[in-house]
Amino acid sequence: LFLVLTGMFVLFANGYSMHIMEGFLPKQWVVVWFIVCVPFWVIGIKKIQSVSKGSVREKMILALAGAFIFILSALKIPSVTGSSSHPTGVGLSAILYGPFVTSILGTIVLIFQAGLLAHGGFTTLGANTFSMAIAGPIVSYLIYKGLAKKNRTLAIFLAAAVGDLATYVVTSFQLALAYPSADGGVMASFRSEE
């Protein structure tokens, strides 16, 4: 398994990633997305501190949730027009710990990805955090909480799948906000197939 994962990292090192790339957003949007993330980070740090005071087993599960996010986010699946996509892995963490803790784990993963794998970037960390580590986990958490008592297996599947999809939709909307279409504005840019 280790050799397969290492091989995948090496083979796909030059591929594109789903995150907004370094330097792509205008400065005002860089600032806006960082500010939007701050409350989630503050609450998330407090919640992680309470989890860290628990048993060693709980700390291990927290670390595994972060590692799971990193591994799934590093796997790139070729997509159309030379881009790629990947599962985010935040659904599991959102189910186990909620969206606030997941915002911290996802941010840590995004920092490592920006520094080590050139996925996304440091100037776009706020925007990428909001889409992958906040919006996606919130959707995953709400779906799981809403369906878990009726059908736990379906709740887990939908939380993971729709949470990932939400990340992509939010990223598209972020790009539409930053670069609205000259003909039709933000919504025209958001719906654009180009």
Side-chain angles (χ1 to χ4, degrees), residues 142-166:
L142 293 175
I143 288 172
Y144 179 75
K145 287 298 182 184
L147 297 175
K149 290 181 181 175
K150 295 175 184 166
N151 185 334
R152 189 165 184 244
T153 302
L154 180 64
I156 292 169
F157 172 77
L158 289 176
V162 178
D164 279 356
L165 181 60

Side-chain angles (χ1 to χ4, degrees), residues 24-122:
F24 191 73
L25 289 178
K27 290 177 186 171
Q28 69 268 21
W29 287 109
V30 169
V31 172
V32 164
W33 292 117
F34 267 98
I35 291 170
V36 168
C37 291
V38 168
F40 290 91
W41 289 332
V42 170
I43 295 169
I45 288 171
K46 290 178 182 178
K47 290 190 176 278
I48 280 187
Q49 288 172 338
S50 69
V51 171
S52 297
K53 291 178 184 174
S55 67
V56 173
R57 182 178 185 274
E58 195 64 34
K59 291 176 193 175
M60 293 288 289
I61 294 171
L62 180 67
L64 285 171
F68 183 73
I69 295 169
F70 180 79
I71 294 296
L72 279 185
S73 295
L75 300 174
K76 291 175 257 164
I77 302 164
S79 186
V80 296
T81 66
S83 67
S84 68
S85 58
H86 61 78
T88 63
V90 295
L92 174 66
S93 176
I95 289 168
L96 294 173
Y97 297 106
F100 293 106
V101 168
T102 304
S103 73
I104 300 300
L105 295 178
T107 301
I108 292 167
V109 166
L110 287 165
I111 290 169
F112 275 101
Q113 286 184 346
L116 299 175
L117 303 174
H119 293 188
F122 295 108

